Amino acid sequence: MPDDAKKKLRSSAWFGKQDREGFNHRAWMRNQGLPTHLFDGRPVIGICNTWSELTPCNAHFRRIAEHVKRGVYEAGGFPLEFPVMSLGETLMRPTTMLYRNLASMDVEESIRANPLDGLVLLVGCDKTTPALMMGAASCDLPAVVVSGGPMLNGKFRGHDIGSGTDVWSMSEEVRAGTISLADFMEAESCMSRSAGTCMTMGTASTMASMVEALGMGMPANAAIPAVDSRRYVLAHMAGRRAVEIVHEDLRMSKILTREAFENAIKVNAAIGGSTNAIVHLLALAGRVGVKLDLDDFDKLGHDMPLLVDLRPSGRFLMEEFYYAGGLPAVLRELGTMLHQDALTITGKSLGENNASAPCWNREVIRPLDKPLQEKAGIAVLRGNLCPDGAVIKPSAGTPSLFRHRGRAVVFETIEDFKAKIDSPDLDIDETCVMVLKGAGPRGYPGFPELGNLPLPPKVLKKGITDMVRISDARMSGTAYGTVVLHVSPESAVGGTLALVQNGDMVELDVEKRSLNLAVDDAEIAKRRAAWKPPAPHSERGWVKLYAEHVMQAHQGCDLDFLVGNSGAAVPRPAH
Ligand code: FES
């Protein structure tokens, strides 16, 4: 590389100096056995790793990082791996979503404070993908995102079982008395058979697909199983590409355009992706200054056909999706419905990347003229119950419930729900509307995945498997049902949801995009005047900072002061 090109690299402010400062920056690094030539001005690629044994879905990431390093070295770069806060969906309480923005701050500040020219972001379990992309986007260096890949299919008594989705259905069967608790416990050891993320089209697979649809990942990033050797080839090639994009100055903001987000929204509909993608894409768009709002998800997505037959909306799992052609086949199939000229991390357009992507199984990936469902996008609802919006994923619901008027059965908190739901005395039947409060971004705190409330046993025993449920919560991407989510404003800030009482009538009309509390305005105003906000969850630390600054669901739940980006100018010298 010519000397003048070397000088442009950000890392030269640390490693390029022939003085005491430069000595200090290099000398301590050498205790890792790094030879002199690595400090000669080549691109320094930070491998941002969310490995953690507390995040089982990302527990194989040290091996992935080694393959990224091979690619970086091969292309003449200098890889340096660093850890950031990891967010394990299955262990963290009260919810990983409480920490997405905290992790993004860790990522942003770790990048800006260090001698990095480009990045490879290793992401997997749900929130690690948006957290790393948001933090990196606020620095706007060239970056490639590498997802960890899904687990192999779960196998239980000769059948495939999928992460989350089959846990929900089997636990409902236990409550209905149709399978035994012993059977359910046996399934526990059969579901997660390999390294990787949930192998349903849950939030992890959705976000891995968003990475690819946005153009931030290498082609096929979404679906290669974690243990498939091709996942490691992809990591290797991503490492190579990270060096090249530093030379090309291909920053995240050049990829993350309005067109890229429009593609992501449409692809999310076509794959039956998670409603969680809404809050993550809104927050990411906010970091790069792309104007995106909740209504875009309905406007752009609602006409999209569902092409991918994966649980929870369909039958198959991510392994079959990959063998059928994976996301490249979907991106090609969608043709002009997408901005095929959108630039991607490969340096080529989305269309060029996927022009010859084959489909090997038309059961798993349907052709455009034979979709699983015609209009599969997320519907955004409005009405006096959700003036700032609420969402429902029709592909995971029951069409006969999409127009429904029912009596509200209200649960003030999730603890209230748990205390009452199994009681034979609970006054509820399948025509009722279950309403949960206190599960929004500020109320829980952290916006948990509680929206798909389990049904009462007395309803389940009739063989009924779905009811209308409404809350200010999110829902796991692996879950399903006629579930209205993300009600905004949430109950904890005095949204109308806070004012719903047992016996009120609630009206849902998905076709008309409406959700209303059939109570007159004067009565609502009277209840509002008597409403008192809940006490804060904490008077110190992160939870206090979070509660004071988190934005509502329709705005993506970023902290208000994190919106936008600060670039990655070299900070003042280390002292
Ligand atoms: Fe980690 Fe699903 S729990 S990806």
Side-chain angles (χ1 to χ4, degrees), residues 57 89-90 125-126 197-198 204:
C57 316
E89 204 64 26
T90 54
C125 201
D126 300 12
T197 52
C198 291

Side-chain angles (χ1 to χ4, degrees), residues 201-216:
M201 186 50 82
T203 305
S205 299
T206 298
M207 292 311 295
S209 302
M210 295 298 92
V211 165
E212 198 173 331
L214 285 165
M216 286 300 307

Side-chain angles (χ1 to χ4, degrees), residues 443-476:
Y444 195 64
F447 205 16
E449 295 184 332
L450 287 172
N452 58 314
L453 295 168
L455 268 47
K458 60 164 114 172
V459 170
L460 287 169
K461 282 181 180 140
K462 293 187 210 169
I464 288 159
T465 55
D466 198 7
M467 287 173 64
V468 175
R469 288 156 274 179
I470 296 172
S471 72
D472 46 11
R474 292 180 300 121
M475 171 172 90
S476 165

Side-chain angles (χ1 to χ4, degrees), residues 6-17 19 21-22 25-26 115 117 569-571 573-574:
K6 285 182 191 175
K7 278 185 200 128
K8 287 183 195 148
L9 291 182
R10 191 172 175 274
S11 60
S12 65
W14 282 261
F15 297 144
K17 293 181 154 182
D19 57 11
E21 242 178 57
H25 290 315
R26 291 182 299 268
D117 301 305
V570 175

Side-chain angles (χ1 to χ4, degrees), residues 172-465:
E172 292 288 76
E173 287 179 56
V174 173
R175 296 174 69 246
T178 51
I179 66 168
S180 71
L181 185 60
D183 288 346
F184 184 50
M185 291 294 122
E186 191 188 327
E188 178 184 313
S189 57
C190 306
M191 190 180 70
S192 307
R193 299 191 301 125
S194 77
T197 52
C198 291
M199 83 306 267
T200 41
M201 186 50 82
T203 305
S205 299
T206 298
M207 292 311 295
S209 302
M210 295 298 92
V211 165
E212 198 173 331
L214 285 165
M216 286 300 307
M218 304 297 280
N221 174 73
I224 305 173
V227 294
D228 192 307
S229 55
R230 289 165 285 190
R231 175 62 59 186
Y232 295 94
V233 173
L234 182 143
H236 184 127
M237 300 311 287
R240 284 185 63 97
R241 189 63 195 141
V243 177
E244 292 166 4
I245 60 175
V246 170
H247 294 312
E248 295 164 17
D249 197 31
L250 187 53
R251 292 165 186 273
M252 287 180 80
S253 57
K254 294 183 182 170
I255 310 276
L256 294 175
T257 59
R258 167 84 192 181
E259 288 70 28
F261 283 97
E262 290 188 0
N263 282 345
I265 289 170
K266 291 178 176 186
V267 169
N268 192 40
I271 61 175
S274 165
T275 45
N276 287 325
I278 301 169
V279 286
H280 300 324
L281 289 174
L282 286 171
L284 180 61
R287 297 296 183 103
V288 286
V290 166
K291 207 176 147 345
L292 198 71
D293 61 37
L294 187 59
D295 292 322
D296 286 324
F297 287 81
D298 201 327
K299 251 186 332 226
L300 297 163
H302 87 273
D303 276 342
M304 294 298 291
L306 177 63
L307 298 184
V308 177
D309 192 354
L310 254 59
R311 297 178 216 183
S313 296
R315 294 174 292 165
F316 299 103
L317 296 169
M318 289 297 284
E319 235 190 295
E320 284 93 13
F321 184 39
Y322 178 54
Y323 304 147
L327 201 69
V330 177
L331 296 173
R332 187 188 51 73
E333 188 70 33
L334 290 173
T336 55
M337 299 177 108
L338 301 179
H339 299 288
Q340 293 287 357
D341 56 349
L343 180 63
T344 75
I345 205 67
T346 63
K348 297 182 183 152
S349 69
L350 195 74
E352 287 170 325
N353 285 344
N354 303 299
S356 55
C359 177
W360 304 110
N361 187 334
R362 283 301 189 184
E363 282 284 297
V364 178
I365 302 173
R366 300 294 179 90
L368 263 185
D369 58 357
K370 282 199 193 114
L372 269 163
Q373 198 176 309
E374 292 284 351
K375 296 183 178 188
I378 282 153
V380 175
L381 310 171
R382 305 258 176 195
N384 68 356
L385 242 183
C386 53
D388 289 333
V391 304
I392 185 168
K393 180 179 172 183
S395 67
T398 306
S400 59
L401 289 172
F402 290 173
R403 188 153 175 256
H404 186 80
R405 179 182 160 93
R407 172 171 60 86
V409 177
V410 177
F411 305 98
E412 295 295 329
T413 61
I414 190 64
E415 290 77 17
D416 182 35
F417 169 83
K418 286 179 180 167
K420 292 175 180 165
I421 192 64
D422 290 335
S423 167
D425 299 331
L426 183 65
D427 182 16
I428 193 166
D429 63 36
E430 60 274 22
T431 66
C432 292
V433 173
M434 296 165 73
V435 176
L436 174 70
K437 303 179 187 177
R442 205 187 296 179
Y444 195 64
F447 205 16
E449 295 184 332
L450 287 172
N452 58 314
L453 295 168
L455 268 47
K458 60 164 114 172
V459 170
L460 287 169
K461 282 181 180 140
K462 293 187 210 169
I464 288 159
T465 55

